[in-house]
Amino acid sequence: MSYFALYLAALGFGAAEIALALAMPQAARILAPALWGWLADAWGARDGGAQRAIVVFSGAATLAGFALLALLERPLAIALVLLATSFASAGAAPLVEAITLSALGGRAGGYGPIRLWGSIGFIVAVLGTGAWLDREPPATLAPILVLLAALVCASALSCRAPRRPQASAPGPALRQCSRAPRCAPSSAPASA
């Protein structure tokens, strides 16, 4: 997406149309991650695979959205597909982080290298696409986005459902905390 403005300019979009299209992913990120997290928590109370299912749906929606973008040329249509695709995909990143931390099982030191390789992959993808666009027209960006979305979708399919955390004792109710000068969890002894 780093070069998507070039693609839109090659389609003949003006500055305002490009700005509208590029604003859609940011607009989706205002509410979508919280809504997907809420859904994963609500659904996850019944099914431990909720996070994985949402990540797989997100990967498939991203692939479908980018494939559809390659076929569109009208500014409003592209902006709306970007909004829908971004909304569907915005919840994946925090859920993948949660799945990763769950898979590490308390070995927090393993998280840094995973993030490092993710960052390196992002840098290689951006630099590689930039080198490609130095030689090829911006119209060739659409197939690259579809290819990268297909890799995201395949990666999502390879995710395993996280281990279900053990249930902990519920904390005190908000009403109890608002009346007590010090609100301690119910499992901790109250100080006198």
Side-chain angles (χ1 to χ4, degrees):
M1 292 299 292
S2 301
Y3 302 104
F4 200 64
L6 292 175
Y7 174 75
L8 295 176
L11 290 178
F13 285 24
E17 295 164 330
I18 292 171
L20 175 68
L22 295 181
M24 294 300 105
Q26 305 310 318
R29 288 185 187 116
I30 293 171
L31 292 177
L35 289 174
W36 285 116
W38 172 81
L39 180 61
D41 288 344
W43 184 11
R46 290 174 280 149
D47 178 12
Q51 291 174 337
R52 180 187 183 277
I54 291 171
V55 170
V56 168
F57 168 78
S58 178
T62 299
L63 177 57
F66 283 155
L68 184 58
L69 281 174
L71 304 174
L72 300 174
E73 295 181 1
R74 301 194 68 187
L76 184 58
I78 287 178
L80 291 175
V81 169
L82 269 177
L83 180 63
T85 302
S86 298
F87 192 87
S89 67
L95 293 176
V96 168
E97 301 287 335
I99 291 170
T100 302
L101 288 170
S102 174
L104 289 172
R107 295 173 286 134
Y111 184 73
I114 292 170
R115 289 294 296 171
L116 171 69
W117 284 107
S119 297
I120 289 171
F122 173 77
I123 291 167
V124 167
V126 170
L127 292 177
T129 302
W132 173 266
L133 291 174
D134 281 343
R135 292 175 178 73
E136 300 296 329
T140 61
L141 184 61
I144 292 171
L145 287 174
V146 172
L147 173 66
L148 292 173
L151 291 173
V152 165
C153 190
S155 177
L157 287 169
S158 72
C159 283
R160 288 179 286 180
R163 290 181 237 150
R164 289 188 69 148
Q166 293 180 348
S168 58
L174 179 61
R175 182 176 289 169
Q176 291 172 322
C177 285
S178 65
R179 292 182 181 159
R182 293 177 119 196
C183 187
S186 59
S187 60
S191 58

